[in-house]
Amino acid sequence: MRKCRGGRMWSLRFGRYLRGARSGGASYWGGLFPGRRFTQAASGGNAAGDPRRRGRVYQNPTWQHVEQRPLPEKKVTVEVLDHLERLALVDFRNWEGVQRLEKAIQFADQLHAVNTEGVEPMDSVLEDRCLYLREDNITEGNCTEELLQNARETVEEYFVAPPGNIPLPKLEERDTFLQVSE
Amino acid sequence: MAASILRRSLLAPRCRAGDVAALHSGPSRRRAQAPGPIASGRRMGKSPAGERSVAPWVAVVGLEIHAQISSNSKLFSGSQVQFAAPPNSLVSFFDASLPGTLPALNRRCVEAAVMTGLALNCSINKKSLFDRKHYFYADLPAGYQITQQRLPVAVNGSLSYSLCVGGKKNQMVTRTVRIKQIQLEQDSGKSLHDDTRSQTLIDLNRAGVGLMEVVMEPDMSSGEEAAAAVRELQLILQTLGSSQAIMAEGQLRVDANVSVHHPGEALGVRTEVKNINSARFLARAIDYEIQRQIKELENGGTVINETRAFDYKLGCTIPMRDKEGKQDYRFMPEPNLPPLILCDNKSLPANTNHQHVVNIDWIRERLPDLPSVRRVKLVEQYGILPEHSFTLLNEDGLMEFFENVVRQTQMNPKKVIGWILNVMLGYLKQHNLTVQESPVSSLFLADLLNLLERGTISSSAAKQVLEELWKAEGKTPLQIVEEKKLELIQDQQELEQICQAVVEGHQEEVMEIKKGNPKVLNKLIGLVQRTTRGRADPVLVKQILEKRLSQ
């Protein structure tokens, strides 16, 4: 089981697969996807011209500035905020928080300017990698004490939780909802 | 008859245990050929407020079945899968959702899902995706469940099942239900509610275990059909070995979606019935829910889209607490898992070990015989009826018992099946035992049937011997026969002497017979049997007596 130390999980997984490819021999995808050649793309280096040959990092910027005005300005209603707070247990706290949310939505709406007709949506940056299948062996478990150390309250090796989901109080009764900032 | 049942069910607002029997037997009796409409109306006596509708109601039942995959380790982590273990001892850091842990997919679980998909005639998706389904509950430490919502492993299959219809339940019909999809997903932990101290105790041993969710289209219309379909699926899963599917241990969980409507109109509002933990309760729960919805609609009310639990003690469904309306699960692609790619013989790249990839054709070649195929083979091999083979496969271990007996006895399998299904099964059910717990082994039964076949004992004597064998005192059938002196009298002379004695001692009866009243012969036969203490072959006795009397 892989435990990662540090925040960049993706590069760790990439790194392992990269190392596997370079060492040759027992890599899974030696012949698995004959169409794609896996290049050592991490080092950008001299990648002018054909990115397929010399690496995946473009030398010149390829993005364009998108005009903000033609995009629809969406306002977030109080019902939607209540629904989001209930679902995800985020606390928007005050109107500044809501404005930040609206700006974030606007930023993401730039994607609508791109024409995606006939393009398959991408599910994962690892879409051309094989999902590693591990053997059905027992390799973990029996760490009850360590796990229970994290719990505030335990009863005879069980975790203790309240009797059910404690629902958020209704909109009218909540006093922290959308406080006016000082 | 139907009207009185309806009146009773409508006028009794609270559910009582006695009503459940009436509710359950009502629809099946009224329906001549299923799935027919449930006739309502034509009620005598006063009707409650509401329209007097004569239009028939049709129930629509769809099932979602979660089967726990039979594997050594869990779906995404390497902890063990075991039913009863000290709490929280089979939990890894990933199962407890400690930060920084990642899922690693178990190949055995993928193979189990592909096997099940192939057995249910599904098309297997060569590329399937994993998603996160978010909801908060204490037994789901991560706050989300990894499942396959967008692109599951297998789609568009079918399941054929048989059930007995007709007044005497002797006509077998085959129905099919479409399978919408089969997907892999994680199980949640177990929560034990402690209401006295107002807390819940969480055990994560079950969290992360691989489940196959089989989603069926709503093609069924009664609890009976649903129970038959679930039983068939259980047999298929047990034959494949992908799941042990024991409902009592929670390895097979069924949620039913029930709604009613008039044929031709739009589908009604559906409710979900959960917490059904045996096949018997499944049929009762669904039938109760159908009746409840019909009653509700006929009284002018509406059916709310809610989740209900089945209380098996009361025999009714009650609304579940803790389920808030319609949940928004915020499905999102699982970022830690790339798409799952399966191959077949055509797309298999060269030089790959079959242990690194899952090959659909490799699995298809190794599928064992499904129950439907085994039933046909039994009928062909032994000449028994399809209904018999159905019962044989339905009882756990009964088919092996039957085959063992047939192998060790000279009796015709068609006669053996009668002994197995009528006598042995009757005894087992009476004493509430499984075939494995049977005190009579297949060897002893075979010996007994051999004695019967050779004419050493009569059929009634055989039944006596079986009763003795049931006590399991270790005696063989032959020993019991000798002890109780149950052998048929083989000596023709002795029989003739006894018959002669009886005829001489009962001259009045002989006169009656000679006058033309043949039924009195049975009395004479009875007397002979009493004299010999049941050791005379009745056919032979009748022959001898008739010969005597005609002289």
Side-chain angles (χ1 to χ4, degrees), chain B residues 422-482:
Chain B
N422 298 334
V423 187
M424 280 297 294
L425 201 57
Y427 268 122
L428 287 170
K429 293 286 178 212
Q430 209 178 6
H431 294 100
N432 208 10
L433 297 168
T434 61
V435 176
Q436 285 87 0
E437 296 165 351
S438 161
V440 180
S441 66
S442 57
L443 182 63
F444 279 4
L445 186 63
D447 283 344
L448 177 61
L449 295 177
N450 279 344
L451 290 174
L452 183 60
E453 189 72 4
R454 271 181 262 144
T456 319
I457 52 175
S458 70
S459 150
S460 52
K463 291 211 172 80
Q464 275 182 291
V465 176
L466 188 59
E467 221 174 291
E468 273 301 311
L469 281 174
W470 202 264
K471 295 183 198 157
E473 288 161 4
K475 298 190 210 137
T476 66
L478 201 57
Q479 284 174 331
I480 298 176
V481 165
E482 281 166 10

Side-chain angles (χ1 to χ4, degrees), chain B residues 91-102:
Chain B
V91 187
S92 70
F93 290 171
F94 173 74
D95 303 324
S97 304
L98 297 189
T101 53
L102 292 173

Side-chain angles (χ1 to χ4, degrees), chain B residues 29-66:
Chain B
R29 231 185 296 163
R30 263 172 278 155
R31 227 174 299 136
Q33 78 267 355
I38 301 166
S40 68
R42 270 186 279 122
R43 284 171 265 147
M44 276 93 70
K46 66 177 167 92
S47 65
E51 54 270 49
R52 190 184 294 262
S53 57
V54 195
W57 288 102
V58 167
V60 175
V61 178
L63 296 179
E64 281 168 14
I65 301 173
H66 297 255

Side-chain angles (χ1 to χ4, degrees), chain B residues 268-307:
Chain B
V269 178
R270 65 177 168 85
T271 61
E272 198 179 341
V273 183
K274 284 173 116 70
N275 193 28
I276 307 167
N277 40 21
S278 94
R280 239 181 331 132
F281 294 146
L282 174 66
R284 285 168 64 183
I286 293 177
D287 286 331
Y288 175 83
E289 184 61 22
I290 293 172
Q291 293 300 324
R292 186 194 74 88
Q293 290 195 5
I294 292 178
K295 204 164 65 177
E296 189 71 36
L297 290 172
E298 289 196 336
N299 286 346
T302 51
V303 180
I304 323 167
N305 177 7
E306 58 178 344
T307 312

